[in-house]
Amino acid sequence: MLVLGIETSCDETAAAVVSVKDDQSSGEILSNIVLSQLDDHRPYGGVVPEIAARSHLDHMDSIVERALNEANLELTDLDAIAATTGPGLIGGVMVGMMTAKALALAANKPFVSVNHLEGHALTARLSEDVAFPYLLLLVSGGHCQILCVRGVGDYELYGSTIDDAVGEAFDKTAKLLGLEYPGGPNVEKAAASGDPHRFKLPRPMVGRPDCDFSFSGLKTAVRQQIEKLSEDERDAQALADICAGFQLAVGDVFADRCRRAMERFRAECGDGHALVVGGGVAANKALRAVLTDAAAAQNMRFVAPPVKLCTDNGAMIAWAGLERLRRGLTSDLNVAAKPRWPLDSLKID
Amino acid sequence: MTLLLALDSACASCSAAVWQDGEVLAHKFEDMPRGQSENLMPFVAEVMKKSSIDFPDLDVLAVTVGPGAFTGIRICLSAARGLALATKKPLVGVTTMEALLVAQDLSNFQGALVAVVIETKRMDYYIQFFDHNGMSMGEPEALLASSIAKKFETLSQGKQIFLCGDGAERLKQEAIVADCEFEFGSENSQPDAGVFGQVAMDKYNAMGRAAFEIAPAPLYLRPPDATPPKPKFLFKAAGH
Ligand SMILES: Nc1ncnc2c1ncn2[C@@H]1O[C@H](COP(=O)(O)OP(=O)(O)O)[C@@H](O)[C@H]1O
């Protein structure tokens, strides 16, 4: 089974081909082309939707062509064409979705509409053998939630952020510190040489019985700490120490929230299952280490897909499309793009 | 014999048509201020089916490239570029100005200055000037009514001014010109694949396949709204 996947919901123009053999559960990536628009957006300190949409259109067809060439395939060889149809920046989503619909119609192949979050949610099954059910921590620039993944299309939300997403918190903290966009990787880099205990930062939501998150208070606390520093004190070490303190706080929050979620998950689903992390923030090594320990403490296997499959890419969309296709879940060409589309609203009839 | 598929969603409508030389084999048009991304491909599927044409049978594809609504332009252009990639057929870009002009009968307006005017939903207008034979007198532009009024004065030199397009009515109210007689085109104020396919067919026949191997680019006439934030001092080490 061969599926082309297209992703344009934020600032990556991406296309990929994945395959799976009939007797296997995990897949193989035949090509995975990602064109990042980072340089286009950097001067603005964040993604500008209209700039993103224009760039997606300029590059989409050649990215698809490269994905096919690299996989050594023609469109006619494929079994389906999948694309992100939301959630995300709608102008960009439209470009990928229309391209996919056109390819599907002209090549007479099924079109599979994919929820971007479902792409993140199922990625672990592309790179490794992970059976349902599993517990998913989905942490990206726009999302921060813990879900019980019972099957394709079957997600139960355990908890989510009540304000900022965690990637957003990384990005805003970076902005406060004057670090370039996107902040996440730069905060991690700076944190490596910092003392995480020099600045006292809160651990929002820790100890609460639910599985929710909150990060806006943490960002505010970072700003207050910065404001206390004189201009002279604002040196490279202070910057590193703040980053380290921030990252440690996020790690503590992750550990506590995931422990709650794992307890609930084990009560509902039993033992022997995995904690899976997905989304751009899963690229953070310190946070991965925290999650590894947290899972071990609950006797759960910890699965983190390779970094290049955690940030936005076409392979995760191709894979989610493939998982849908093999359950017969294809879509009509009149599907609408959705700016908002919670994962727990995905119903399979 | 040349078979052509044309599609559009660049303004406030959605259409698709299959052409055989100068004749429309199948055609679908609807006024549609939103929802084009849902309807465009079903429209294409429908006209292909009605005309009993398969994609490999087509010789050439055609699409509007703007100016118009940014999202609308991207909907039809990304679809058309996808179709071109899948079918390996050439793709002819038609401006919405050309698409609207071809719908007009200019035979009774000898000597008139012709302006195609498209609504921007802002203060200004997308506009392009033509002579009474439909020859362009410049590129499409985004202009305010005051600049357009000046252009009317210099270009028309007291002649009739023929206006068409969905911005024509508003422009007449706003572009105050002394001693000018305005005429209005027929009601076709939206691009229609069942009409502008002819423009693409003519271009293709005149210039040949090789001229359309590279996909056409969008014509936005306006940069994205975005201003970079002002840099401020934060940390000595930041930015590295
Ligand atoms: N090493 C890292 N540490 C922390 N955050 C990171 C790291 N790498 C990326 N991020 C964050 O991940 C987010 C991007 O995630 P991604 O899943 O690609 O985006 P989206 O939310 O658009 O789907 C950004 O907020 C970015 O700062």
Side-chain angles (χ1 to χ4, degrees), chain A residues 10 12 116 120 140-143 167-168 170-171 182-185 188 279-281 283-284 310-312:
Chain A
C10 192
E12 277 92 9
H116 177 82
H120 282 305
S140 69
H143 302 275
E168 194 180 354
F170 267 94
D171 295 337
E188 181 177 17
V281 179
N284 187 295
C310 285
T311 51
D312 291 351

Side-chain angles (χ1 to χ4, degrees), chain A residues 1-345:
Chain A
M1 208 173 242
L2 288 166
V3 176
L4 171 74
I6 290 176
E7 158 61 34
T8 55
S9 67
C10 192
D11 59 345
E12 277 92 9
T13 312
V17 180
V18 303
S19 76
V20 71
K21 303 228 169 61
D22 288 340
D23 55 342
Q24 277 172 4
S25 49
S26 57
E28 189 188 345
I29 298 172
L30 303 184
S31 63
N32 191 13
I33 313 292
V34 180
L35 179 71
S36 166
Q37 303 174 356
L38 261 187
D39 293 338
D40 301 336
H41 300 289
R42 189 173 287 119
Y44 304 96
V47 178
V48 182
E50 179 62 20
I51 292 178
R54 290 185 181 196
S55 182
H56 286 306
L57 174 62
D58 291 345
H59 299 108
M60 188 75 258
D61 48 1
S62 63
I63 295 292
V64 168
E65 205 169 13
R66 273 176 63 194
L68 289 170
N69 287 344
E70 206 160 283
N72 237 320
L73 292 168
E74 299 270 348
L75 267 180
T76 48
D77 301 321
L78 301 174
D79 293 291
I81 292 147
T84 298
T85 57
L89 299 174
I90 201 76
V93 171
M94 296 261 192
V95 170
M97 178 181 83
M98 292 311 295
T99 303
K101 286 180 177 181
L103 295 173
L105 178 64
N108 198 18
K109 303 288 178 186
F111 165 65
V112 187
S113 152
V114 171
N115 178 305
H116 177 82
L117 301 175
E118 183 167 63
H120 282 305
L122 298 176
T123 300
R125 288 165 53 81
L126 163 62
S127 53
E128 275 170 77
D129 210 335
V130 182
F132 298 120
Y134 53 85
L135 184 66
L136 173 75
L137 173 67
L138 181 56
V139 279
S140 69
H143 302 275
C144 181
Q145 41 191 254
I146 305 185
L147 301 121
C148 174
V149 181
R150 295 213 169 80
V152 175
D154 189 358
Y155 308 92
E156 187 185 350
L157 188 66
Y158 277 10
S160 64
T161 183
I162 59 170
D163 41 55
D164 294 350
V166 59
E168 194 180 354
F170 267 94
D171 295 337
K172 286 179 174 172
T173 295
K175 213 171 190 174
L176 286 173
L177 295 164
L179 293 168
E180 277 199 332
Y181 180 84
N186 288 329
V187 170
E188 181 177 17
K189 226 189 325 173
S193 54
D195 168 9
H197 303 291
R198 174 170 162 201
F199 297 99
K200 295 276 165 289
L201 293 169
R203 305 307 193 242
M205 312 298 271
V206 164
R208 293 216 347 189
D210 56 32
C211 304
D212 287 335
F213 296 87
S214 164
F215 289 104
S216 78
L218 185 52
K219 172 198 66 194
T220 306
V222 166
R223 185 175 46 233
Q224 287 163 348
Q225 293 287 1
I226 296 171
E227 280 163 359
K228 281 191 213 152
L229 296 173
S230 71
E231 212 168 273
D232 267 356
E233 287 169 323
R234 294 186 192 188
D235 56 10
Q237 193 55 51
L239 180 106
D241 294 344
I242 290 175
C243 288
F246 171 82
Q247 194 170 270
L248 182 69
V250 172
D252 287 351
V253 170
F254 273 21
D256 178 75
R257 307 286 71 204
C258 287
R259 182 176 57 77
R260 291 276 174 200
M262 285 187 282
E263 283 167 4
R264 175 173 167 190
F265 176 85
R266 289 172 67 200
E268 289 177 14
C269 303
D271 285 328
H273 302 295
L275 169 67
V276 170
V277 66
V281 179
N284 187 295
K285 291 193 194 64
L287 296 176
R288 279 185 184 226
V290 166
L291 294 171
T292 306
D293 292 346
Q298 296 279 331
N299 273 319
M300 283 182 74
R301 175 184 168 206
F302 177 63
V303 179
V307 168
K308 72 173 198 318
L309 294 182
C310 285
T311 51
D312 291 351
N313 65 87
M316 71 182 197
I317 303 306
W319 176 253
L322 193 152
E323 293 247 46
R324 293 197 149 251
L325 181 69
R326 57 181 180 189
R327 287 163 182 79
L329 301 170
T330 59
S331 317
D332 291 332
L333 293 178
N334 64 2
V335 164
K338 298 174 209 45
R340 285 180 207 295
W341 191 9
L343 208 38
D344 57 339
S345 75

Side-chain angles (χ1 to χ4, degrees), chain B residues 38-57:
Chain B
E38 290 124 85
N39 290 295
L40 183 60
M41 293 329 288
F43 276 28
V44 170
E46 188 180 321
V47 296
M48 291 297 286
K49 194 162 173 234
K50 262 198 194 145
S51 54
S52 306
I53 301 285
D54 288 329
F55 283 94
D57 304 331

Side-chain angles (χ1 to χ4, degrees), chain B residues 4-113:
Chain B
L4 176 145
L5 167 69
L7 49 148
D8 165 72
S9 63
C11 296
S13 59
C14 185
S15 64
V18 176
W19 289 68
Q20 179 177 334
D21 300 318
E23 186 194 344
V24 176
L25 298 184
H27 171 214
K28 186 155 174 101
F29 172 93
E30 261 180 49
D31 284 313
M32 197 180 287
R34 43 185 55 241
Q36 293 138 315
S37 71
E38 290 124 85
N39 290 295
L40 183 60
M41 293 329 288
F43 276 28
V44 170
E46 188 180 321
V47 296
M48 291 297 286
K49 194 162 173 234
K50 262 198 194 145
S51 54
S52 306
I53 301 285
D54 288 329
F55 283 94
D57 304 331
L58 291 169
D59 296 291
V60 56
L61 307 163
V63 69
T64 43
V65 296
F70 295 165
T71 299
I73 293 169
R74 283 191 286 269
I75 288 169
C76 59
L77 202 48
S78 53
R81 287 171 65 150
L83 291 174
L85 176 64
T87 58
K88 302 189 166 73
K89 307 290 179 189
L91 173 59
V92 179
V94 175
T95 68
T96 47
M97 301 294 179
E98 297 172 309
L100 292 173
L101 184 68
V102 70
Q104 298 298 330
D105 179 1
L106 298 176
S107 54
N108 290 330
F109 301 95
Q110 282 301 313
L113 171 69

